[in-house]
Amino acid sequence: MADPLDLVHLRTLVAIAETGGFRRAADALHLSQPTVSQHVRLLEKRLRQTLLTKDGRGSRFTSSGERLLVEARRLLAAHEQALQRLRVEEVDDLTIGSSEHAADYVLPELLGVLREAYPEVSLQFRLDRSTALGDAVNRGTLDLAVILGGNDGEVVGTEVGRLNLRWVAAEGWQAPEPGARVPVVVFESPCGLRRRAIRKLFELGHDVFVAVESTSLDGVLAATRAGLGVALLPFFGPVPAGLRELTDIPSVGDIDLRLVARRALSIDIEQTAIKAVSDHFAAIPRGSAPVAADNAADADPREFLRVV
């Protein structure tokens, strides 16, 4: 195993870049200039590369130094985030978000586990779209959220379960012939499910048009039950009443469910939530109905729901 890089030395290197020189870095770090020079020499010795070279009366970073500078900033940022997350945090209340698609499965179990682990903490819930919940976690206005993955871009959070993606329509709705025009019921953009549904139908040779778009799951379900179009939706349990699964349209697979936590949230709370949701999903047979945890049998999450 290679010897680790010294974070103090890396911090010195970043200070040189940000302040514009050894002397200014020494002043900023409250170190002597010889100490700053020694940190650079030790890094160069460790990596066997020249990191800075003379440039007139000053110095400039070599290509090796520039590469290390990028990695140093990443390492220092990750180190600071880890320290923040490991600090003991006094929590009086927790605000937890969930995608509507998973609320029946997630909230009762999560409610029971968190109440048992943190009996003095007040719990509040928010149901919303995954994009809005993810943004709220990033802003720090939401502590935890269970959201749909499967979107383009950077993967966030920890996978805690998977939901089947199924094509559904109203009872009696007839699937169009190949190449025919297909009305779809979708969520408003941005939405990963919307993109996947439209892309798949186009791949199958259909002419796709958005018949209805909604901001909520209730709206999508209502429009689909009314026969206004076909919808691609994630389910863990059975298809809701008034709808039927369209097995003649090829499957799109499934979608991951992820738990995300705000940056400075206690790692103990985050890990407790991850384990609760992961264990709960793992214990539910595919296609079964939602089952509330025994220790939350009398706790319908909607009774505690507060939109924040």
Side-chain angles (χ1 to χ4, degrees):
M1 178 177 176
D3 293 335
L5 294 169
D6 191 310
L7 291 178
V8 173
H9 299 168
L10 294 177
R11 190 171 287 109
T12 299
L13 191 76
V14 171
I16 294 171
E18 292 180 348
T19 61
F22 282 68
R23 181 181 58 78
R24 291 176 180 173
D27 292 340
L29 297 172
H30 305 290
L31 299 173
S32 67
Q33 189 167 333
T35 299
V36 169
S37 298
Q38 182 187 38
H39 289 177
V40 174
R41 285 197 302 272
L42 289 171
L43 282 173
E44 290 179 330
K45 180 179 180 181
R46 166 66 185 81
L47 296 171
R48 299 179 183 177
Q49 296 174 1
T50 300
L51 303 176
L52 289 110
T53 186
K54 288 285 187 181
D55 185 17
R57 299 180 62 181
S59 302
R60 63 175 177 83
F61 282 87
T62 64
S63 58
S64 296
E66 293 287 356
R67 288 196 300 270
L68 178 59
L69 193 58
V70 172
E71 298 299 335
R73 285 179 168 134
R74 289 175 178 168
L75 286 169
L76 291 171
H79 179 256
E80 181 58 30
Q81 290 172 13
L83 288 178
Q84 289 179 358
R85 291 164 65 82
L86 290 169
R87 290 190 187 107
V88 176
E89 182 179 9
E90 294 295 330
V91 178
D92 295 322
D93 56 73
L94 284 173
T95 305
I96 302 163
S98 175
S99 162
E100 295 173 288
H101 307 285
D104 284 342
Y105 301 92
V106 170
L107 295 187
E109 177 68 13
L110 201 51
L111 173 64
V113 171
L114 291 177
R115 273 186 164 175
E116 182 176 354
Y118 307 99
E120 304 301 321
V121 174
S122 172
L123 302 178
Q124 300 165 3
F125 292 92
R126 170 178 170 179
L127 299 184
D128 209 332
R129 296 178 59 193
S130 293
T131 49
L133 294 173
D135 289 343
V137 170
N138 288 336
R139 293 194 306 270
T141 59
L142 199 60
D143 296 306
L144 291 164
V146 181
I147 64 174
L148 294 178
N151 292 321
D152 299 332
E154 184 180 358
V155 175
V156 297
T158 302
E159 183 175 320
V160 290
R162 301 195 74 83
L163 298 173
N164 293 325
L165 287 176
R166 305 184 198 175
W167 297 101
V168 294
E171 299 286 355
W173 194 85
Q174 296 298 317
E177 296 296 323
R181 201 165 189 233
V182 180
V184 293
V185 180
V186 294
F187 290 94
E188 284 187 352
S189 295
C191 174
L193 290 175
R194 176 185 180 133
R195 290 194 298 270
R196 291 177 72 167
I198 293 175
R199 182 168 60 235
K200 183 64 175 181
L201 291 171
F202 270 129
E203 290 173 356
L204 294 172
H206 292 294
D207 178 15
V208 184
F209 75 97
V210 174
V212 180
E213 60 180 9
S214 174
T215 59
S216 70
L217 177 60
D218 284 344
V220 170
L221 291 175
T224 307
R225 285 192 182 101
L228 299 179
V230 60
L232 179 67
L233 294 172
F235 299 102
F236 200 93
V239 171
L243 297 175
R244 69 180 182 91
E245 183 174 359
L246 302 177
T247 56
D248 45 359
I249 300 180
S251 170
V252 185
D254 55 17
I255 191 168
D256 53 319
L257 200 65
R258 312 193 73 82
L259 188 141
V260 293
R262 65 174 172 82
R263 181 170 297 178
L265 185 68
S266 162
I267 195 168
D268 289 339
I269 295 175
E270 180 182 357
Q271 291 302 314
T272 297
I274 289 172
K275 186 176 188 307
V277 180
S278 298
D279 289 352
H280 186 55
F281 268 88
I284 301 176
R286 291 274 177 163
S288 67
V291 178
D294 291 340
N295 58 358
D298 60 346
D300 182 343
R302 289 170 181 80
E303 295 179 7
F304 302 94
L305 180 64
R306 189 175 92 175
V307 179
V308 293

